[in-house]
Amino acid sequence: MPVTRLADLIDPAQCPCLVVKVGSSLLVGRDGLRREWIGGLVDEIAACRKRGQSVIIVSSGAIALGAARLGLEKGGRGSLADAQAAASVGQIALSGLWADLLDRHGLPAAQLLLTLDDLEDRRRYLNATATLGRLLDAGAVPVINENDSVATQEIRFGDNDRLAARVAQAVQAGAVLLLSDVDGLYDRDPADPAATLVREVRGVTGEIKAMASGTSGSGMGSGGMTSKLQAAEIADLAGVALAIVNGTNDMPIARAVDQDIGTLFLPPEGRRRRDAARKAWLGGRMKLKGELVVDAGAAKALLAGSSLLAAGITAVSGAFKRGDPVGIVDSQGGLLAHGLSEYDSDECERLMGRHSRDHEALLGYAPRSAVVHRNQLVLR
Ligand code: GLU
């Protein structure tokens, strides 16, 4: 069952994996990191883990924190060079604190610094998602930020709202929770006494966009409501729910859920849309680069939701690289699925029909778990 209300965000049955994004203004105060508040949030995250949810943290704050340490003006956002220098100073303290606080609950923190390219380029996307998947399976809590120190303008997300939504799409999370310094989306400027909180949004329409003012209230992050709505659009397309709630109170997750205060964006058509979106993304604008012919056993396993293993492949056609989209066809040439190949075509030829235990010797390096992982394929 997908998420349909705020309370579902902390229910492992509705939301097995939750992405929590924390904005700069919540993490960094006048005297540096807001340790106590962050400690309270980590208690809440640990409680989610106890209930059986996987949690991914997307943490801002590196630039704001580093700028304070280096004494840079405009919160380190005066120039790209300032932001990059500030981020590299701030990131150390930031990840150190998350690691320390999570460790108190026996939870290993795992730092990932990503750029837009890491999620847009299919080969790197496969690496990033495989690493995230493995970390979650192993019980770690990934703490993600943009790799601001090296990301130039062209390869930047620029805001962690969209980064969080793309991460959620990549790991097929149940929901994204954006902790902000406002209660959610208001139907007009929140300073207007007539403004009311919008509780639920089905589809980010022009009318919804017109409600956002576009500036970051705190002036610290680069977020603001506009980037949150862009994040909601990404989540919508991926079939992932997204909530904006106020993080300024202690125990913000419990407050939002118990009092049902926040804005919940739900994908317009539920589950079917998720598959359609994944299909579009996996196929992208690119044509399929090749084909993998599979035997009846593999075809049956695929239809039952399994990954494609090399043992079931009987022929390979086309010249493709790792990360390229390929068609998976049955012995009569009927298209069963398409997905991203974990191997180049010549490697697929070497591996086809062979059992996984032989792969390392055939490749000369540690093999991947499948030729097309089930998370990276869409049935036709
Ligand atoms: N990556 C930035 C930082 O760590 C934050 C981006 C944002 O404000 O959303 O400071």
Side-chain angles (χ1 to χ4, degrees):
M1 276 287 287
V3 168
T4 54
R5 45 193 196 128
L6 275 180
D8 293 341
L9 262 65
I10 58 163
D11 180 345
Q14 326 288 336
C15 182
C17 177
L18 177 67
V19 176
V20 180
K21 181 260 173 179
V22 198
S24 299
S25 65
L26 296 174
L27 291 162
V28 186
R30 243 179 288 146
D31 308 317
L33 281 167
R34 297 176 62 218
R35 286 166 196 274
E36 252 176 63
W37 180 85
I38 304 170
L41 176 63
V42 170
D43 292 345
E44 295 200 284
I45 288 170
C48 290
R49 287 294 312 266
K50 274 224 176 79
R51 282 191 292 269
Q53 280 184 296
S54 293
V55 181
I56 295 176
I57 299 169
V58 174
S59 172
S60 302
I63 297 174
L65 191 61
R69 280 295 290 278
L70 295 173
L72 301 177
E73 53 193 26
K74 295 188 183 158
R77 291 173 190 270
S79 69
L80 183 60
D82 275 6
Q84 297 193 304
S88 59
V89 170
Q91 186 62 37
I92 291 183
L94 193 62
S95 44
L97 181 65
W98 284 114
D100 180 37
L101 293 173
L102 287 163
D103 187 57
R104 290 184 199 172
H105 293 275
L107 296 168
Q111 176 176 263
L112 261 91
L113 299 178
L114 298 173
T115 61
L116 186 62
D117 268 14
D118 292 322
L119 295 175
E120 294 297 325
D121 175 273
R122 286 191 175 81
R123 223 162 302 168
R124 285 157 68 177
Y125 166 85
L126 284 181
N127 279 346
T129 50
T131 306
L132 272 169
R134 189 70 195 94
L135 285 167
L136 294 177
D137 286 350
V141 178
V143 179
I144 299 179
N145 196 356
E146 182 151 25
N147 198 352
D148 292 302
S149 309
V150 297
T152 54
Q153 217 65 268
E154 314 77 68
I155 58 161
R156 279 187 103 200
F157 278 99
D159 67 83
N160 278 358
D161 298 317
R162 281 179 299 153
L163 174 62
R166 284 293 280 115
V167 165
Q169 179 191 30
V171 300
Q172 292 165 45
V176 184
L177 179 62
L178 301 179
L179 292 178
S180 170
D181 48 12
V182 289
D183 277 342
L185 173 70
Y186 282 86
D187 64 349
R188 68 200 75 181
D189 184 347
D192 183 335
T196 50
L197 184 66
V198 181
R199 303 277 169 172
E200 192 181 300
V201 176
R202 287 257 177 196
V204 183
T205 57
E207 194 193 344
I208 294 292
K209 284 183 195 162
M211 295 175 185
S213 65
T215 49
S216 159
S218 65
M220 245 197 221
S222 46
M225 202 44 79
T226 299
S227 75
K228 288 179 179 49
L229 292 187
Q230 287 168 345
E233 280 184 301
I234 296 169
D236 250 17
L237 275 171
V240 175
L242 179 142
I244 304 174
V245 308
N246 197 327
T248 52
N249 306 280
D250 289 340
M251 304 301 209
I253 301 181
R255 174 188 180 264
V257 165
D258 296 347
Q259 300 177 22
D260 198 26
I261 303 175
T263 303
L264 183 61
F265 295 80
L266 296 171
E269 293 153 35
R271 247 200 143 70
R272 269 181 302 137
R273 192 171 169 93
R274 170 189 301 226
D275 252 15
R278 284 184 58 223
K279 203 178 290 186
W281 189 83
L282 287 175
R285 283 170 291 275
M286 269 197 233
K287 282 206 191 98
L288 299 180
K289 292 285 173 69
E291 253 177 27
L292 301 169
V293 184
V294 300
D295 63 21
K300 198 168 157 212
L302 278 181
L303 297 176
S306 298
S307 298
L308 174 63
L309 303 181
I313 300 175
T314 55
V316 178
S317 68
F320 52 88
K321 292 277 178 211
R322 169 171 158 73
D324 280 343
V326 294
I328 303 172
V329 299
D330 62 22
S331 52
Q332 280 89 51
L335 185 62
L336 298 169
H338 60 202
L340 305 184
S341 175
E342 295 282 347
Y343 292 105
D344 297 350
S345 46
D346 57 334
E347 292 172 321
C348 289
E349 272 165 28
R350 252 182 283 157
L351 298 181
M352 71 182 192
R354 303 294 293 264
H355 193 277
S356 303
R357 67 174 164 260
D358 303 329
H359 290 188
E360 182 150 12
L362 288 163
L363 293 166
Y365 61 83
R368 307 180 193 279
S369 62
V371 175
V372 180
H373 192 277
R374 63 188 157 82
N375 288 347
Q376 315 300 353
L377 69 78
V378 180
L379 296 174
R380 301 299 301 182

